[in-house]
Amino acid sequence: MSPGILVVGSINIDDAIRVPRLPGPGETLSASTLDTAMGGKGANQAVAAARAGATVRMIGAVGAQDGIALLHALQADGIDVDGVQRLDRTPSGRAVVLIDDRAENSIVIVPGANHAIPEGAVRDACRTLLPGDVLLLQNEIPAATSRLAADLAREAGATVIWNAAPAPTSADELVPGVDLLVVNEHELRRLADLHRIEAASTDRLMTEIAQATGADVICTLGAEGAAYRVAGATGTAPARRVDAVDTTAAGDTFAGYFAALAHLPLPGRLRHALDAASLTVTNRGASSSIPHRSDVDRIAQAAPERNTAA
Ligand code: ATP
Ligand code: RIB
């Protein structure tokens, strides 16, 4: 059975803007489209875990007015938002997401309510965690809030997964004592810098970060899939070959699916999370682009071989 998932994290309003290429300094470009919808790494991962089949609760904060649609969007996926705070004087977090013709993106975030999550809401939610539950964290809320949640979850016997994204910029942003780190290659290198680890290869960095932190490590590799160091097993798993149109929320989909599928043996868990993330990049948008488990199962049955077109 899927574990219960608690996400303590960000909820954003994303302005997704399509441009032919990402602008350089001082450059003005004309966009082809602007779409406004729910995003935020916390919300995206909550949606991914829910669409993977898990029971999901979200703790975070939104503006009292501009957050109403965000709460409805989370509820539409069956996510429990009772613990999401509605703040009167602080607007919801906002992200400006530029996406170019090669599906690459560039994101600027205004944290807003994400930086005002009351400690009491985190304590109340974490107090109800049970052994076997999963706490899923990212890096778009204050690190002190994430650390508090991680400490309480550990005390409750829950598993703590930290998607260290966006990459921490200082040692103050680290969350120690987590069970699993999920990062992309850039985030892996930033974590290595902050732990004063010098190593040339991704493999070596993963091993040394695992030794320094005591955590399992998964590093996603974009179109190449992911490298893992989990419960003593190491290796790589390929991604499905797809036509990418927008990679926004690809990492979030992987993290949410991987958290939700904790009841599966590692190979299947990785395969499903990678397939889900590869499907996400074939659609535009953040939360809206995340596939349901039935879609992920369908491509696995239609094209079971890896590195084949979906
Ligand atoms: P983002 O920040 O764009 O959400 P990320 O940098 O956190 O993503 P990536 O390593 O780029 O994470 O991608 C996460 C997963 O998404 C990959 O492991 C893979 O399954 C899938 N993915 C990303 N890009 C592609 C692609 N071009 N083709 C197929 N799958 C992809
Ligand atoms: O990971 C994608 C997300 O990053 C976007 O939805 C945006 O809100 C930023 O937080």
Side-chain angles (χ1 to χ4, degrees):
M1 212 178 74
S2 251
I5 307 279
L6 175 65
V7 178
V8 178
S10 58
I11 308 168
N12 288 339
I13 300 169
D14 280 9
D15 287 324
I17 300 170
R18 302 279 322 184
V19 282
R21 59 193 164 71
L22 301 177
E27 187 180 10
T28 301
L29 286 177
S30 198
S32 55
T33 56
L34 162 64
D35 294 296
T36 299
M38 184 176 73
K41 292 185 191 301
N44 295 341
Q45 293 182 24
V47 167
R51 292 188 183 173
T55 302
V56 182
R57 285 184 294 154
M58 173 105 210
I59 297 298
V62 295
Q65 292 307 315
D66 65 2
I68 293 171
L70 300 174
L71 297 177
H72 287 160
L74 289 164
Q75 283 172 320
D77 271 293
I79 296 163
D80 180 341
V81 296
D82 287 355
V84 176
Q85 308 300 300
R86 302 148 179 87
L87 306 181
D88 279 329
R89 279 182 285 276
T90 314
S92 295
R94 193 117 200 165
V96 175
V97 185
L98 301 182
I99 307 121
D100 73 10
D101 283 347
R102 294 176 312 157
E104 293 297 335
N105 65 39
S106 186
I107 302 179
V108 178
I109 292 167
V110 185
N114 294 312
H115 276 199
I117 303 172
E119 195 181 298
V122 176
R123 287 189 184 280
D124 288 348
C126 290
R127 208 172 279 139
T128 64
L129 282 166
L130 297 171
D133 285 346
V134 174
L135 171 71
L136 183 53
L137 300 167
Q138 309 76 32
N139 195 32
E140 283 186 341
I141 62 172
T145 308
S146 295
R147 282 194 292 267
L148 171 67
D151 288 347
L152 295 170
R154 242 186 338 267
E155 279 169 26
T159 299
V160 183
I161 300 179
W162 183 33
N163 173 224
T169 54
S170 76
D172 294 343
E173 289 179 33
L174 295 175
V175 182
V178 304
D179 297 288
L180 171 67
L181 277 164
V182 178
V183 288
N184 66 17
E185 282 179 289
H186 169 65
E187 292 144 8
L188 183 77
R189 287 186 189 283
R190 284 301 301 154
L191 283 184
D193 287 347
L194 295 174
H195 285 284
R196 301 184 192 290
I197 292 168
E198 285 180 33
S201 71
T202 299
D203 274 1
R204 202 62 228 150
L205 284 178
M206 287 173 64
T207 301
E208 294 201 21
I209 288 175
Q211 281 165 358
T213 62
D216 287 338
V217 183
I218 296 182
C219 179
T220 58
L221 306 169
E224 301 303 313
Y228 60 89
R229 195 177 192 294
V230 175
T234 58
T236 55
R240 201 166 276 277
R241 199 178 308 141
V242 297
D243 288 328
V245 297
D246 180 354
T247 65
T248 311
D252 296 333
T253 305
F254 180 90
Y257 261 76
F258 195 83
L261 300 180
H263 54 299
L264 296 184
L266 182 63
R269 191 177 175 191
L270 277 169
R271 201 166 52 237
H272 280 94
L274 287 165
D275 280 357
S278 295
L279 279 180
T280 291
V281 309
T282 65
N283 294 312
R284 291 183 180 191
S287 288
S288 62
S289 70
I290 297 169
H292 289 84
R293 177 70 192 269
S294 53
D295 301 316
V296 178
D297 289 345
R298 197 171 308 121
I299 64 157
Q301 280 158 12
E305 296 305 317
R306 315 301 301 156
N307 273 326
T308 54

